[in-house]
Amino acid sequence: MIRETTAAEAQTWKRYSLASAGRELIGRSGGEPRVVAPPIGCIARTDAKAASRLLVRLLLCALIAGCGDRSGKTLELSGPTMGTYYSVKVARLPAGLSGEALQQGVTGVLAQAVAVISTYKASSELSRLNRNPSTDWIPVSRALLSVIAEGQRLSALSDGAFDISVGPLVNHWGFGPDGKIDEVPSRQAIAAAGARVGYQKLQLRASPPAVRKQRGDMYIDLSALGEGYGADQVAAYLDARGIGDYMAAVAGAIRVKGRNADGTPWRIAIEEPAPEGRTVSRIMHITDAGLSTSGDYRNFFKKGGRRYSHEIDPKTGIPVDQRLASVTVVRPTAVEADGLATALMVMGDTKGTALAKREAIAAFFILREGKGFGWESTAAFRRYLAR
């Protein structure tokens, strides 16, 4: 989910300094953390009540690595954005470019991304589009159209398992800006929300850029693409400033380019999808790519003995309940990896792995097996796994 960072969250960041090792740990669960947390292992002190509220999706200190870049070569930037946080590592900073100026620029880029695609910010371009009841062509910016177009492409590829019009269902299940719910929605309520869903009900026009909704009450939710979009925007900003070796992350969506300060590919750890604790499943060696992880193991609620995750099937209107616990995807851009990870997660281990193999998508699936986990990866993904 994408929303404006609150003043309280910004204050949280002021209380902590972030240090990180050469390995990054990803294991995004989706949804909106209410409090932004510094990396586990780098917190000096916090009380138990506060710790229980702190939800971290991208850990900048892998449990197997300890804290701090002891080489002293890597510039590290971090801060709040989109209701979570961003992290940027630059292995080699060009002459004449200061860390302060870079941080200011990155913050500005992400603020602009939020202004375009947030459903939590009432003044954002997407929020204004969602409030517009017109069923005629509605002019939009090229930036917003590009993200919507990527969502529509992934919807067609996944046969609707990914659907940016799923917003009414997301809100109905308490995973959107409307806030949490106390009861499971009724069948009638789910059906009513589902009637507003369907990527086929949305038309796009490239020139001049515009969107047409078949129903005036359609509600577009770009949260499953937002963090990837943000990471890509930061990457473009770094590219424009001549930076060739970096890692740019917004929560669990990451773009990497070049090499780390040691001159080796960036090392990224995939989190084991256990609801409690943080452990590493696999280590990746990766460069010049985007990647993202989607999972159902952190953002969920229980009611009547059943577990309901934020991963909602647009076709049934109900959260998925399956063996598949998380999916990590590598693609050229983070926004594509972000959306595909969600699509494969909703499709499940059978259909999801079939699609990934058919389309030669680099994907890593973690499956629940009894009290433990198993895994499966596509041939395209195996080259990233550290031996």
Side-chain angles (χ1 to χ4, degrees):
M1 301 292 181
I2 311 303
R3 65 178 172 83
E4 190 173 19
T5 302
T6 66
E9 290 168 343
Q11 283 299 117
T12 301
W13 277 96
K14 292 180 181 179
R15 290 199 294 268
Y16 300 100
S17 61
L18 301 183
S20 59
R23 295 171 182 159
E24 311 301 326
L25 179 58
I26 64 174
R28 195 189 67 178
S29 62
E32 278 307 305
R34 289 293 151 193
V35 181
V36 177
I40 291 175
C42 297
I43 302 176
R45 184 173 62 185
T46 186
D47 61 74
K49 184 177 180 180
S52 68
R53 296 196 307 263
L54 298 179
L55 174 61
V56 184
R57 289 190 275 176
L58 170 66
L59 299 180
L60 302 184
C61 292
L63 303 178
I64 60 174
C67 297
D69 177 7
R70 289 162 178 78
S71 70
K73 298 176 183 177
T74 301
L75 171 68
E76 301 176 24
L77 310 174
S78 55
T81 187
M82 299 183 182
T84 177
Y85 67 95
Y86 72 86
S87 167
V88 174
K89 285 185 171 187
V90 175
R92 280 160 281 279
L93 191 66
L97 184 61
S98 70
E100 291 78 9
L102 198 62
Q103 177 119 38
Q104 210 168 37
V106 168
T107 301
V109 165
L110 289 169
Q112 180 56 36
V114 169
V116 172
I117 63 173
S118 176
T119 54
Y120 283 79
K121 189 178 179 71
S123 61
S124 76
E125 185 180 3
L126 179 60
S127 291
R128 296 196 305 273
L129 174 62
N130 282 335
R131 289 195 300 270
N132 192 327
S134 175
T135 55
D136 201 350
W137 287 107
I138 303 171
V140 296
S141 68
R142 294 196 183 280
L144 179 58
L145 184 69
S146 70
V147 186
I148 292 175
E150 177 64 8
Q152 292 293 82
R153 185 184 72 82
L154 294 177
S155 293
L157 179 67
S158 65
D159 190 28
F162 182 90
D163 194 327
I164 60 171
S165 69
V166 76
L169 289 168
V170 172
N171 292 333
H172 232 69
W173 281 97
F175 296 109
D178 292 349
K180 302 297 181 182
I181 59 174
D182 295 322
E183 297 293 334
V184 173
S186 67
R187 290 177 181 270
Q188 293 80 2
I190 293 171
R196 300 164 59 192
V197 174
Y199 73 95
Q200 303 93 335
K201 300 173 184 176
L202 199 62
Q203 289 180 280
L204 310 184
R205 187 179 70 194
S207 184
V211 171
R212 182 159 67 182
K213 300 183 283 185
Q214 193 178 99
R215 291 180 52 139
D217 61 353
M218 287 189 72
Y219 184 99
I220 300 169
D221 188 339
L222 298 174
S223 297
L225 298 168
E227 290 163 4
Y229 173 69
D232 286 339
Q233 293 301 296
V234 172
Y237 174 81
L238 299 175
D239 288 341
R241 273 134 197 87
I243 298 172
D245 300 281
Y246 61 77
M247 188 280 307
V250 177
I254 305 175
R255 273 288 292 276
V256 290
K257 184 176 181 179
R259 294 174 176 259
N260 62 23
D262 297 330
T264 59
W266 294 94
R267 298 185 298 275
I268 296 177
I270 301 171
E271 182 183 22
E272 188 128 296
E276 303 295 336
R278 302 277 180 176
T279 57
V280 172
S281 174
R282 292 292 185 279
I283 302 289
M284 302 171 62
H285 287 176
I286 188 168
T287 188
D288 300 335
L291 64 151
S292 183
T293 291
S294 184
D296 67 357
Y297 56 99
R298 296 219 182 274
N299 193 24
F300 63 90
F301 70 90
K302 289 184 176 180
K303 198 72 177 177
R306 183 172 173 181
R307 184 174 172 276
Y308 298 94
S309 83
H310 76 285
E311 300 283 3
I312 298 171
D313 186 337
K315 296 180 179 180
T316 66
I318 300 172
V320 295
D321 184 12
Q322 58 193 7
R323 286 180 65 217
L324 186 57
S326 79
V327 182
T328 297
V329 172
V330 180
R331 295 301 281 174
T333 64
V335 70
E336 184 182 7
D338 209 4
L340 274 173
T342 297
L344 297 177
M345 187 69 208
V346 172
M347 293 178 79
D349 58 305
T350 301
K351 291 183 179 179
T353 53
L355 175 65
K357 290 174 180 177
R358 187 183 76 233
E359 298 295 326
I361 296 168
F364 182 83
F365 301 82
I366 299 183
L367 310 171
R368 296 182 179 90
E369 292 186 351
K371 295 183 179 180
F373 298 98
W375 62 273
E376 183 175 353
S377 65
T378 61
F381 189 89
R382 288 172 201 137
R383 67 191 181 97
Y384 298 111
L385 291 175
R387 299 188 182 282

